[in-house]
Amino acid sequence: SEVVNGVKYWELHAFSSELNKTTNIATLKDVDGLFFEKGIPTLKILAPSAFWKMDKKEIHLTEPLGYDIKYEKTLSKKLREIKNFKGLISIFHLPSKAPYPTELGYWFKARALNWSLATKRIICRGGITLTKGNVTVFSKNLEADVGLKRVRLTGEPKATVLTDSKKINISA
């Protein structure tokens, strides 16, 4: 876990781990963990592996599946589908307000995810797809808080908005 000045930022449990005392890097396998926002568990993480750079206070997760902790039981069927997703992109799904009130919480499956104490943000690079309601955005990079409340997409972002009558494409 990463606790600084009494504030817990993340906590990971692993099936196995190794510590290289020379490099101060811990390698974890079969990871199950949480990220915290203001001391409250916010983001649940499952990943096949993680690297913790203890000196730099950075964590790197390989192929993580992440989701809003509040909806863990509700999302169980969907999580099985997401776990089986194999692809070269990272997919982020944010719930929308009306007209989609049945969509609960957020979830993502990424190729890799980095978090550092310096920024307190999650960062994913290379092939991002983010969906919120009828809007889908494609970009190269994503940077966000652990609750995915503030998300920044960079690297040739392109959005597609589906309406009842047409499809609108926007690029920046």
Side-chain angles (χ1 to χ4, degrees), residues 54-85:
M54 294 183 284
D55 291 346
K56 294 182 178 183
K57 301 200 178 292
E58 295 176 352
I59 189 89
H60 172 84
L61 299 159
T62 304
E63 296 182 10
L65 166 61
Y67 56 92
D68 187 340
I69 189 69
K70 292 183 285 192
Y71 303 107
E72 186 165 25
K73 291 178 184 170
T74 309
L75 291 174
S76 61
K77 180 182 175 190
K78 186 67 176 172
L79 289 173
R80 283 192 297 277
E81 294 173 23
I82 299 165
K83 283 180 188 178
N84 292 328
F85 173 78

Side-chain angles (χ1 to χ4, degrees), residues 57-144:
K57 301 200 178 292
E58 295 176 352
I59 189 89
H60 172 84
L61 299 159
T62 304
E63 296 182 10
L65 166 61
Y67 56 92
D68 187 340
I69 189 69
K70 292 183 285 192
Y71 303 107
E72 186 165 25
K73 291 178 184 170
T74 309
L75 291 174
S76 61
K77 180 182 175 190
K78 186 67 176 172
L79 289 173
R80 283 192 297 277
E81 294 173 23
I82 299 165
K83 283 180 188 178
N84 292 328
F85 173 78
K86 302 287 183 208
L88 298 175
I89 59 172
S90 298
I91 296 178
F92 288 77
H93 177 82
L94 305 180
S96 63
K97 297 185 175 158
Y100 306 99
T102 58
E103 293 183 27
L104 299 175
Y106 58 83
W107 59 264
F108 66 84
K109 182 140 188 191
R111 292 181 359 196
L113 181 144
N114 294 303
W115 180 92
S116 117
L117 182 64
T119 63
K120 298 176 186 73
R121 314 249 320 141
I122 59 174
I123 297 171
C124 296
R125 303 221 183 274
I128 306 291
T129 299
L130 182 138
T131 301
K132 182 169 183 167
N134 64 337
V135 178
T136 301
V137 182
F138 305 93
S139 72
K140 291 183 180 175
N141 310 305
L142 176 139
E143 185 176 334

Side-chain angles (χ1 to χ4, degrees), residues 22-50:
T22 304
T23 61
N24 260 348
I25 296 176
T27 303
L28 302 105
K29 299 288 182 193
D30 295 323
V31 175
D32 182 337
L34 294 168
F35 277 88
F36 295 79
E37 193 169 60
K38 298 179 183 173
I40 298 169
T42 303
L43 173 60
K44 175 77 171 176
I45 290 285
L46 304 171
S49 64

Side-chain angles (χ1 to χ4, degrees), residues 144-158:
D145 59 281
V146 296
L148 294 175
K149 292 178 189 125
R150 291 191 178 112
V151 177
R152 182 175 181 212
L153 297 166
T154 59
E156 301 173 19
K158 295 177 178 91

